[in-house]
Amino acid sequence: MAGSSRARVTTVGAIDPEVLAFTAGRDVVLDRALIEADCLGTAAHVTMLSRIPVRPPILTKEDAARVIAELKRIVERARAGTFVITMEDQDVHLAVERTLTEALGDLGKRVHTARSRNDQVALDLRIYAREQLLGALLECGALAETLLVFARRHADVPMVGRTHMQPGMPSSVGLWASAWSEELADAMELLIALYRLNNRSPLGSAAGYGVPLPIDRALVARLLGFDGAAHNVLYANQGRGRLESLILDGLSHIMLILSRLSQDLMIFTMPEFGYFALPADYCTGSSIMPQKRNPDVLELVRAKAARVRAAASAVFDLMRGLPSGYNRDLQETKEPLMEGLAVTRSCLRVMNGLIAGTRVNRDALQKGFTAYVFATDRALELVASGMPFRDAYHHVKGHLHELTALNPREAAMKKTHSGAPGGLQFDLMRARIRAPQRFARSESRRLAACAARLLGA
Ligand code: ARG
């Protein structure tokens, strides 16, 4: 049907309506999340264009100010939900350009000088991703802290330590909860590494090969609060997709932690265990069984870990066959990235509330301690009186029925070496969480200040 009367006219040419809908795909909807990022990027770009030594100037300082005033209006409309990306726009980039041209005429048509949608979308996604990563970092920190508070409050409450899910050795609720907290501290370091990899500006790479104009990429990067420009223009351009893949790998790692924590909680809140009780308002009922209080939240976190992993796999699989340079396939990495971030962040938030409201049943925990749980402690007692460990092991193994139950709390707390139930350094663990939290807060402030300066807010 190409060239038929059905063809739709877009900013960049006429196209068959079905092909238009097919190629624009979900961008018309998804790009709503990128409007502010697109406007910020454009504000930095026109500021740079107005400052470079080109005669006659591409844009004067006054031109740039007029464009920026219009961009500010677009941001306001976006916040009010009234900025529309049409199918003919295809995406946010052409929607903003159209709006600028409608308002400013020829001036609007100059804005796209020296850039491509390829570097523009890569830039928008990096601006979007860094904000999301900082949000995830704070949410991860909040959950890690809640787990640490929980651990500290129940530091010496005895809990059977298990291997193969079988009772193993005396342990504590403090050890169990702070282990998950420390895993999340690792995740926070991972998020900061991802943030740093992401925080370089691809703008000015244009279609991936630069432009024959003296553009100032470092200035654009500085104005937008990036740590600098991604250097090689082809590298800068094709970082898109690979960064998405890295971020989703990191997110699926966070979800792995949350899913396993959920699994533990599902087991330990079963009536047969009863170690913990979930907050009532985090449980759901049954439409037929009046007594039911189900851990749906935990089950959904477990399921969503699979979804985030699937998003990570989708992007990786999509990327691994792509040749260098821009390929339209990259557009398909947008939705998994957005979904992965939104899902992971919502899981972090809901788990935080759930842990904060979880209660500990000391009696049930105590009941888990049969005499067998002290078998290893008994062997080590014999070692203390001089017996070689292997002999002590066999002696206890041969006399298991003679074992007597010790005081579980005392047995757990006797392990006072670093990181053991009686040797947990909560302050050290807290410091590991606090440092990335401070980083997230100061970066958020810095980025907000850059945005305010750029748009003159
Ligand atoms: N919506 C497109 C994307 O996400 C924007 C870039 C289009 N570039 C192109 N060369 N067709 O990839």
Side-chain angles (χ1 to χ4, degrees):
M1 295 289 286
S4 80
S5 56
R6 280 170 20 104
R8 296 280 176 82
V9 179
T10 75
T11 307
V12 287
I15 188 166
D16 175 89
E18 192 164 348
V19 176
L20 176 62
F22 180 75
T23 52
R26 300 253 306 135
D27 269 13
V28 178
V29 177
L30 298 176
D31 278 15
R32 286 183 204 150
L34 301 177
I35 301 170
E36 245 178 274
D38 203 75
C39 289
L40 279 176
T42 300
H45 184 64
V46 295
T47 302
M48 181 275 288
L49 287 180
S50 75
R51 291 194 199 169
I52 54 172
V54 178
R55 295 286 165 259
I58 299 164
L59 293 174
T60 64
K61 297 228 160 51
E62 295 68 39
D63 289 338
R66 287 176 63 208
V67 173
I68 289 171
E70 206 51 50
L71 289 168
K72 228 172 116 182
R73 267 189 278 278
I74 295 175
V75 169
E76 278 155 18
R77 282 166 62 196
R79 286 185 186 163
T82 57
F83 183 78
V84 181
I85 302 170
T86 68
M87 188 58 81
E88 279 73 18
D89 291 328
Q90 302 180 57
D91 50 36
V92 65
H93 325 297
L94 293 181
V96 169
E97 184 177 327
R98 170 182 57 76
T99 309
L100 291 175
T101 305
E102 280 164 7
L104 305 168
D106 281 355
L107 177 52
K109 295 193 217 158
R110 291 172 177 273
V111 166
H112 205 57
T113 311
R115 75 176 180 188
S116 154
R117 270 188 297 167
N118 298 355
D119 59 340
Q120 206 181 345
V121 63
L123 176 78
D124 290 6
L125 286 162
R126 289 196 189 204
I127 292 174
Y128 170 84
R130 67 183 182 178
E131 251 191 67
Q132 292 287 326
L133 287 171
L134 291 178
L137 191 50
L138 287 173
E139 286 153 358
C140 206
L143 177 57
E145 250 192 296
T146 301
L147 279 159
L148 205 56
V149 168
F150 186 93
R152 200 170 224 162
R153 187 174 306 143
H154 308 291
D156 63 352
V157 176
M159 177 173 179
V160 172
R162 292 166 188 276
T163 66
H164 312 264
M165 290 185 68
Q166 303 295 317
M169 290 180 83
S171 179
S172 67
V173 173
L175 188 86
W176 175 82
S178 62
W180 296 113
S181 176
E182 205 167 330
E183 291 208 5
L184 289 167
D186 280 358
M188 292 174 85
E189 280 182 37
L190 188 57
L191 285 172
I192 289 183
L194 293 169
Y195 179 88
R196 292 217 161 98
L197 284 172
N198 177 75
N199 202 30
R200 298 209 154 257
S201 169
L203 207 73
S205 61
Y209 302 96
V211 288
L213 284 167
I215 57 169
D216 187 344
R217 299 186 59 217
L219 172 62
V220 170
R222 203 161 54 243
L223 291 171
L224 289 167
F226 284 102
D227 294 332
H231 181 62
N232 176 312
V233 288
L234 182 56
Y235 155 82
N237 204 285
Q238 67 191 25
R240 184 177 178 207
R242 194 173 53 81
L243 272 165
E244 278 79 346
S245 177
L246 278 166
I247 291 170
L248 285 165
D249 278 343
L251 295 177
S252 62
H253 186 86
I254 294 176
M255 291 304 298
L256 173 72
I257 299 169
L258 299 189
S259 181
R260 298 186 65 207
L261 170 59
S262 296
Q263 187 57 56
D264 256 15
L265 285 166
M266 277 183 263
I267 293 167
F268 294 143
T269 56
M270 278 165 69
E272 288 79 355
F273 278 87
Y275 289 180
F276 305 129
L278 301 178
D281 57 348
Y282 275 68
C283 294
T284 53
S286 153
S287 62
I288 176 169
M289 297 169 281
Q291 86 286 11
K292 282 309 268 310
R293 290 259 301 271
N294 297 324
D296 296 37
V297 168
L298 299 171
E299 292 167 321
L300 284 168
V301 167
R302 187 174 57 185
K304 285 179 191 299
R307 283 191 66 156
V308 176
R309 188 62 238 162
S313 299
V315 171
F316 186 93
D317 282 349
L318 184 155
M319 290 301 297
R320 74 193 154 87
L322 296 190
S324 60
Y326 177 84
N327 302 275
R328 190 66 178 263
D329 312 48
L330 289 170
Q331 182 170 292
E332 294 288 317
T333 65
K334 196 182 282 173
E335 190 159 24
L337 175 74
M338 290 180 170
E339 191 201 356
L341 282 162
V343 168
T344 305
R345 293 188 59 186
S346 73
C347 288
L348 285 167
R349 289 192 300 266
V350 79
M351 285 299 278
N352 189 22
L354 183 137
I355 298 289
T358 292
R359 280 171 297 109
V360 168
N361 184 345
R362 288 173 184 253
D363 291 342
L365 282 152
Q366 185 94 18
K367 278 200 194 101
F369 283 85
T370 62
Y372 280 12
V373 177
F374 303 99
T376 310
D377 291 42
R378 176 64 192 133
L380 291 170
E381 234 173 67
L382 296 173
V383 165
S385 62
M387 197 184 282
F389 175 76
R390 191 53 64 211
D391 293 341
Y393 167 93
H394 283 298
H395 176 83
V396 174
K397 196 171 187 146
H399 300 81
L400 281 176
H401 54 282
E402 288 170 19
L403 279 170
T404 49
L406 305 175
N407 178 324
R409 199 192 77 84
E410 273 172 24
M413 290 303 125
K414 237 186 193 161
K415 300 187 246 190
T416 53
H417 63 77
S418 164
L424 290 171
Q425 289 173 271
F426 294 109
D427 291 339
L428 210 104
M429 289 190 270
R430 163 143 297 143
R432 255 200 89 193
I433 301 168
R434 288 272 159 91
Q437 279 177 325
R438 273 196 299 274
F439 173 83
R441 292 203 187 93
S442 80
E443 277 299 284
S444 292
R445 274 196 299 274
R446 198 177 63 78
L447 295 181
C450 282
R453 258 196 308 277
L454 256 177
L455 289 180

